[in-house]
Amino acid sequence: MLLFVQIIIGSVWIFHGLYSKLLRGIPRHRAIVARVLGERHADLATKAIGVGEIVLGLWVFSGWQRVPCAAVQTLALVSMNVLEIALAADLLISAAGMVALNAGFITMIWYWATSARR
């Protein structure tokens, strides 16, 4: 079960980093970055965020230092959610839905991080 959870978490980060950001599969992600950081920086920042998300996914897949990994993921998700709601709420499908989904995702992350592997 824990391996399944680990695969889901890592895959979510890699999907959003690679498909949503680097390959521009979900253009709304770049639009949100543009709103938060400015149009001038949007392309580079979206790519950098995408690379960061891929790195997080690979970190999850590695299983190394799970608690610090969970803390970084939590900080990233909460920071992104706060900025998106404060500065780009009109670009979100549902701010409440995003928060609920990410709260569940953070719960899954911490379950994975704090469960002992045997």
Side-chain angles (χ1 to χ4, degrees):
M1 177 63 159
L2 204 54
L3 178 60
F4 179 69
V5 171
Q6 181 176 357
I7 290 168
I8 289 172
I9 295 166
S11 296
V12 166
W13 285 110
I14 289 175
F15 169 81
H16 282 295
L18 181 61
Y19 179 75
S20 302
K21 310 272 185 332
L22 294 182
L23 298 176
R24 292 184 168 198
I26 303 176
R28 184 173 40 80
H29 285 228
R30 187 207 172 275
I32 292 167
V33 172
R35 179 74 60 82
V36 172
L37 298 176
E39 187 62 42
R40 178 178 175 204
H41 305 291
D43 286 333
L44 182 59
T46 302
K47 288 176 186 172
I49 292 165
V51 168
E53 290 177 343
I54 292 168
V55 168
L56 272 176
L58 294 173
W59 187 3
V60 170
F61 285 149
S62 79
W64 181 72
Q65 296 289 320
R66 290 184 297 167
V67 171
C69 181
V72 169
Q73 291 176 78
T74 301
L75 180 62
L77 287 165
V78 171
S79 298
M80 285 189 284
N81 284 194
V82 168
L83 288 169
E84 291 167 2
I85 290 169
L87 302 173
D90 60 308
L91 298 175
L92 302 175
I93 294 169
S94 167
M98 176 185 70
V99 170
L101 188 63
N102 283 327
F105 190 51
I106 289 169
T107 300
M108 183 185 296
I109 290 166
W110 282 99
Y111 166 76
W112 165 76
T114 58
S115 295
R117 287 204 174 168
R118 303 218 190 288

